[in-house]
């Protein structure tokens, strides 16, 4: 068995930093609609999401196994490659967070790792068949499935309650949203927290600390769960604003339908080991909720920007991961240079975000400057 090296420690810390960014990048997945409808106050929402993300991390490790020994040949992956891939994922997460786009943290991670391993070990070290089956196909299918399910669920919610008093409907669905949003947060923990578990496990395998094909040790499950829950509590307010207020006008029945639909899709994929993007699933379900309510406004311009970010995520993160791997392969000096650039870039993104801060106090306010010209299509 190998020994614990300084580089291994750096990689684990970097993986947990990515997990933290994953948490605040994806808080919107579970809580944006509940915050938008007033079912939960912003601070209570992120607290509930953080706790349930931690709980969800302990429910399954199937996705973690997909990452650690599924998409790349773990026998040919070095710590420097993993480090470079994580840097690519972190930088893409920060860029999309800064502009308020709910892109996929999962695909940023996959892209970063694929690019780094491809540059560092060659294309034969990347298992493209597994990537197609467990990443690409779910990426295409999951938001479409979530959109269709949420459209039907929203339509039925309004049909079933059409003769009920409007106040009673709103109150009832607000209570239901507390439960459905909590389920999304729990489901998010079963899927996204495991991705960092898989990366850390892959690092331990590459360093010889664990044998090939090993699953994540208990301490990996715990630290990954804590990192993503703390990130979730930090709140990705910019993305919460986009998903809760930018895509469509959300009412409580829509919020309940969107959250319930997203939960069903995420938990099903976690059970089958599909490392899908919970962001894409939740975005698809919110769009479906907009389509399912008669006369609801769907802002297709914002939806189009989000779709473009989805298309760019894998190749952009792969490009950064590949360049970072090429530099990091030069030894300790290369790793130090990549780490320094990443820290400076992260600080710059944070400084830029303070120019127009979004927080729990103004998250439900969508400034006119953030409402581009868009076509509004009445839902059927």
């Amino acid at each position: 068995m190998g020994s614990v090296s300084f580089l291994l420690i750096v990689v684990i810390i970097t993986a947990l930093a990515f997990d933290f960014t994953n948490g605040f990048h994806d808080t919107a997945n579970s809580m944006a609609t509940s915050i938008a409808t007033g079912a939960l106050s912003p601070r209570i929402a992120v607290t509930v999401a953080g706790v349930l993300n931690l709980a969800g991390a302990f429910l399954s490790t199937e996705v973690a196994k997909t990452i650690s020994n599924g998409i790349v040949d773990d026998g040919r992956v070095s710590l420097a490659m993993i480090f470079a891939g994580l840097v690519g994922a972190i930088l893409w997460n920060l860029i999309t967070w800064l502009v308020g786009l709910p892109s996929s943290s999962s695909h940023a991670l996959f892209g970063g790792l694929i690019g780094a391993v491809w540059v560092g070990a060659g294309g034969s070290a990347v298992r493209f068949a597994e990537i197609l089956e467990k990443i690409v196909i779910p990426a295409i299918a999951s938001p479409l499935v979530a959109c269709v399910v949420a459209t039907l669920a929203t339509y039925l919610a309004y049909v079933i309650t059409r003769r009920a008093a409007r106040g009673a409907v709103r109150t009832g669905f607000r209570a239901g949203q507390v439960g459905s949003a909590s389920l999304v947060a729990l489901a998010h923990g079963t899927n996204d927290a495991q991705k960092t578990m898989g990366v850390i496990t892959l690092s331990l395998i590459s360093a010889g600390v664990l044998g090939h094909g090993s699953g994540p040790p208990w301490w990996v499950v715990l630290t990954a769960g804590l990192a993503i829950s703390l990130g979730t509590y930090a709140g990705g307010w910019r993305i919460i604003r986009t998903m809760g207020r930018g895509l469509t006008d959300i009412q409580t029945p829509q919020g309940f339908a969107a959250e319930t639909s997203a939960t069903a899709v995420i938990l099903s994929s976690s059970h089958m080991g599909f490392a899908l993007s919970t962001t894409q699933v939740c975005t698809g379900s919110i769009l479906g909720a907009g389509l399912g309510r008669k006369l609801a406004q769907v802002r297709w311009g914002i939806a189009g920007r989000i779709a473009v970010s989805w298309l760019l995520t894998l190749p952009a993160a792969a490009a950064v991961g590949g360049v970072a791997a090429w530099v990091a392969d030069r030894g300790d000096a290369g790793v130090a240079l990549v780490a320094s650039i990443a820290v400076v870039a992260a600080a710059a993104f944070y400084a830029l975000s303070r120019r127009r801060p979004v927080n729990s106090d103004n998250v439900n306010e969508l400034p006119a400057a953030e409402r581009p010209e868009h076509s509004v299509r009445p839902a059927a």
Side-chain angles (χ1 to χ4, degrees):
M1 302 296 285
S3 58
V4 176
S5 65
F6 177 73
L7 180 55
L8 176 59
I9 294 173
V10 169
V11 170
I12 292 174
I13 292 173
T14 307
L16 294 175
F18 164 77
D19 208 19
F20 183 85
T21 68
N22 191 354
F24 73 71
H25 204 280
D26 289 4
T27 308
N29 294 352
S30 55
M31 293 299 168
T33 55
S34 292
I35 292 172
T37 62
L40 289 169
S41 70
R43 278 298 171 193
I44 291 178
V46 296
T47 301
V48 171
V51 171
L52 291 175
N53 264 277
L54 176 60
F58 288 89
L59 296 183
S60 171
T61 58
E62 290 304 315
V63 174
K65 293 174 183 176
T66 297
I67 304 299
S68 61
N69 51 55
I71 64 174
V72 294
D73 184 348
D74 59 18
R76 300 173 60 185
V77 176
S78 70
L79 291 175
M81 296 175 204
I82 298 172
F83 170 73
L86 287 166
V87 168
I90 289 171
L91 291 180
W92 183 255
N93 268 358
L94 292 176
I95 291 170
T96 50
W97 161 75
L98 180 64
V99 296
L101 288 177
S103 70
S104 170
S105 297
S106 305
H107 291 169
L109 176 61
F110 302 147
L113 287 175
I114 290 168
V117 172
W118 200 337
V119 169
S124 60
V126 180
R127 294 172 175 166
F128 291 102
E130 289 286 325
I131 292 171
L132 178 64
E133 177 187 351
K134 293 199 171 183
I135 296 176
V136 176
I137 292 177
I140 297 171
S142 59
L144 296 176
V145 171
C147 182
V148 171
V149 173
T151 300
L152 293 174
T154 302
Y155 175 76
L156 289 174
Y158 280 102
V159 168
I160 291 170
T161 61
R162 66 181 182 274
R163 290 189 173 88
R166 185 168 298 181
V169 171
R170 183 169 55 250
T171 300
F173 276 113
R174 273 191 178 183
Q177 271 198 276
V178 175
S180 60
S182 298
L183 284 174
V184 177
L186 188 69
H188 184 267
T190 69
N191 201 285
D192 277 48
Q194 291 187 58
K195 290 156 190 170
T196 298
M197 295 179 207
V199 170
I200 296 176
T201 303
L202 180 61
S203 303
L204 296 171
I205 292 171
S206 300
V209 177
L210 294 177
H212 295 294
S214 298
W218 69 267
W219 64 268
V220 172
V221 177
L222 177 61
T223 54
L226 284 172
I228 200 168
S229 65
L230 289 173
T232 301
Y233 178 73
W237 303 112
R238 292 172 178 272
I239 300 174
I240 289 174
R241 172 184 279 184
T242 299
M243 291 183 70
R245 302 291 295 172
L247 281 172
T248 186
D249 299 319
I250 291 288
Q251 296 180 354
T252 50
Q254 294 169 278
F256 177 79
E259 291 159 358
T260 305
S261 303
T263 300
V265 175
I266 294 169
L267 288 179
S268 298
S269 67
S270 295
H271 177 71
M272 293 183 288
F274 290 147
L276 54 68
S277 166
T278 54
T279 299
Q280 292 183 356
V281 171
C282 293
T283 304
S285 68
I286 291 173
L287 281 174
L291 293 171
R293 178 168 71 90
K294 187 176 182 180
L295 300 181
Q297 294 182 339
V298 176
R299 300 182 180 94
W300 294 107
I302 294 177
R305 289 170 53 201
I306 293 172
V308 170
S309 76
W310 290 357
L311 292 174
L312 292 177
T313 296
L314 267 172
V320 176
V323 172
W326 183 82
V327 176
D329 193 47
R330 271 51 187 169
D332 292 343
V335 172
L337 178 60
V338 171
S340 299
I341 293 173
V343 170
V344 170
F349 293 142
Y350 178 76
L352 288 172
S353 74
R354 303 314 300 161
R355 294 183 177 181
R356 291 182 178 179
V358 181
N359 51 47
S360 59
D361 296 324
N362 64 1
V363 67
N364 276 335
E365 301 172 7
L366 191 60
E370 296 189 23
R371 294 193 181 195
E373 292 297 322
H374 55 268
S375 60
V376 178
R377 173 178 177 263

